[in-house]
Every structure is written in structure tokens, then in C-alpha cells.
Amino acid sequence: MLKRRTVLQGALTSALLAGCSTGKPSGPAQTQDNPFGVVADRPLEVVVAEEYGGFGAPQYRTKYEQAVVTVTPTKQLRDLLQSRFAAGSPPDVVLNTGDKALTVSRLVADGHLADLGPLLDAPSWENQDAKVKDVVLPGLLDYGRYDGTLRSLNYLVDVYGLWYSARLFQQRNWDVPRTWPELLALGAEMRAAGLGPFTYAGAHPYYVFEAVMTLAVKTGGHEVAQRIDNLEDGAWKDKSVTRAITAFGELAKRGLIATGTAELDHTASQTRLLQSKAGLLPCGNWLENEMKPAIPAGFGLTMFTLPPLDGSPALPRGVHVAPGSPLLVPQQGPNASGGLEYLRAMLSREVAGQVTKEANRLTVVRGAADGQEISTALRSARDLLTAAGDQAISWYFADWYPTLGKAAGDLTGQFLAGAFRADEWTARLQAAADQVKQDKSVTKYHRD
């Protein structure tokens, strides 16, 4: 659970069911079929940054035939909605993503977002015997909690791992490594075959830091990330963190990082993988959508999770996951009860399955991608997410403290380029974290 150490600005009250605290008339009685007391003929306005955010509209219109549901797609969310929030006239639902996304923490601090707790305890859209919270994958709701209250529902989930070509592995008779020593041995074979074994977006080194952090948490357990998130003294000097960065340093020492990687951007590094000039690439599962035109036929784009350093990792099934694309219900929307109901429809398996099928993305809804004909890439990500269960790895410091997140990426890139030793890497990151901790102008967060 996430909570803020400081008092949020503005009044953060419970979700408005039909706008109770704004003096608007209350809706009909709440029932199993209408848990939020939706007024059947009240209009609903939905503003989305991506088309799939409107996929819940047909379900809503079918149930409330008298309601006019308006879905407005825009890539300019901030420009369109910032003034409306300030004026107290926001829409009823927002899918907040993209380059012009609104800052969720700012909306929370200003009291603009409804409490989504009632949504989680409501019956699910398709099964009144199950609650909404029971149809969501475990642990993924914490990303939207502030002061213990759910203010945003992060709808899509990104899975991170190492990408490779299943066709190339089959041609070369290579096996997916199960341990770090096997990964090093595979790298040596790739180098002998003329490939740069390991590449990454050197111009955006947070990608490779993500792999280092995943390995550290996989080795030492969830508390490693928890201590880092909470800015605890010495958290970056934990032995699991030191072992992880040292292991990646070994890749560089053995010449297993492709020549020129430090200068590559994300597109160039991904192109190297797709041209079979590199064997392994750390990235999230958006890679397929981003590079779809460049993926060769039969390439077999597939992901596996980072192999553990030894035979006794704390989280053997651990894989880094990060829910994103938050759905928001504005506190002052004219139809807040309808907003909660719309989110309930979005969390139905039917809608979530449609999102997976048409957007080629995974959602937080349990089993929504099961039984679908999906790509090798998405299937491998789904299988890793399913297998992880309560060992899904997450951290929040990079979002809470962007300067610290940037430092983590930059220092990792410099370390892999040979600028300093592993113990200097941990010391510099610890100093950066201490600086954030001591800066009274920075709002601090806490993770339980």
C-alpha cells in the first residue's frame, strides 16, 4: 500500500455517488445490479488519450439505453482538461496517458480525483458473486494508491524482460538460460557466432538500469525495492544491489555488450535485435507494437525473465511489471456514479479481452488474454506475468523522485562504459537518494 507522508492539499473525500457532496441530487438506490446508484438517463462524458479507453461505451449504452455517452479521443489531454479541472467542470472519466498526460499526483493533491474504493468492493460486471477487486491481478492496484486510497486505476500492464529471436535460438541450438552462469555462457556463444550478445538503449540507460534493479530484487526480495522506495539509509548499498550491478559489470568485462551500444537510442538498439546483430535486449512488452513494421516474418520475438544469480533467489519467478495508462474518475464530474460504473465495465473480461485483441496490450484483468490468438511476443509476456503471481516485482522511486530515477539510469550507463567501479556506483546512487531525502522541498512518499 502506498501513502503520502505529507498532508495532501485540498479535501480528499470519498467517491461521489451521483455527486452527493456537490449538492447534486442523489441517484436511485444502490443495488447489486446498480451498485453506484447510476441515474439511467444522465449523460456520460469520457475523454481518452487512446482509442481503447472508449471500449467500455457499448456495454454502458446497452445497460443504460437512455444515457448519451460521449467518447472524445485526444492526444492533447493536458491542453484540453487542465483548465476544466481548475474550473470544476471536468469530464466523468479520463484515460490519462501519452506525452500530454495530466500529472496524477497533482490532481490528487488538489482534491480532483474520486476515491475508487467503492468500485473495488462492487460486484464485477459479469459475475455478481465476485467483487471487482477479485478480477484484478494481485498487487497491481497499489500503483494508484495515495494515502492508502485508490485514486487512479492503472489499466494496462507492462512486463519487462530480455527479448530474443526464437527462430535464431532454434537455428543455433541455443537454450534460454536458467541461471546467470548459463547467461554468460550463452553470451560467449553469441559472440563466437559474430553477434553482439547484449545490447540496450545506451542513450536512455534507464532501460538497462531496470534490468539491474530487477535482478537485485529477484535476488534479495521485495524488501530491497521497498527500502529504496522509502529512501532508507544505506538502501542502495544492500548486498543484493551490489551483486546485481557487479553481475552486469561482468557482461562488460567479458566483452558481451555489443560494440557501440552506449550511443544507441531505443529504436537503433531494437533494430539491432531484429536484424539479428544482437542476441538479447532488455525492454518492456510495448516493443512489439513500437517495432511491428520492422519485425521479420518468422522472427519469433519472445521474452524471458532475467535468470537468477544463483540457486537460491528470494523471488525465483520474479519479473518486473509496471501498470500504466490510469483511468480516472474526477471528483467534480457531473456523473461520478456513472464514471465508476464505466470503470466497472472496462474491468469486464469482455472489454479487457477486446483491448488485448485490438491494442495488443495486456490489462490488469485476470485471464483477459486467455484463449485468444495472440502473438508470440505478447504470449510470452502474459505467461511470465501469470507465472509471477505474488512475485511480480515493482518499485516507485523513479516516478516519485524523477531526479533520482534519472540518476539511476545515467550512473548505470556510465558504469557499464567503464567510468567507475561497482562500489562507486552504489555510493553515488546512495548520495543521490540521500540528497532527495534531505531536500525539504521534495514531497516524500512511503511504501508499506
Side-chain angles (χ1 to χ4, degrees), residues 25-47:
S26 60
Q30 300 168 27
T31 64
Q32 282 285 96
D33 190 51
N34 187 4
F36 311 120
V38 173
V39 178
D41 61 353
R42 184 169 291 171
L44 184 79
E45 183 186 5
V46 183
V47 178

Side-chain angles (χ1 to χ4, degrees), residues 38-98:
V38 173
V39 178
D41 61 353
R42 184 169 291 171
L44 184 79
E45 183 186 5
V46 183
V47 178
V48 301
E50 298 289 346
E51 182 182 1
Y52 64 80
F55 286 3
Q59 278 75 7
Y60 193 97
R61 293 188 183 106
T62 297
K63 187 171 182 180
Y64 304 100
E65 295 180 356
Q66 297 172 284
V68 175
V69 181
T70 304
V71 178
T72 302
T74 178
K75 298 294 185 182
Q76 309 297 321
L77 272 179
R78 192 182 309 130
D79 298 338
L80 182 65
L81 297 183
Q82 206 160 38
S83 60
R84 290 186 59 182
F85 271 101
S89 59
D92 303 303
V93 178
V94 178
L95 174 66
N96 186 51
T97 189

Side-chain angles (χ1 to χ4, degrees), residues 327-346:
L327 286 162
L328 314 174
V329 176
Q331 184 88 306
Q332 293 181 290
N335 190 2
S337 58
L340 292 174
E341 183 77 338
Y342 187 85
L343 264 59
R344 193 165 75 105
M346 288 293 293

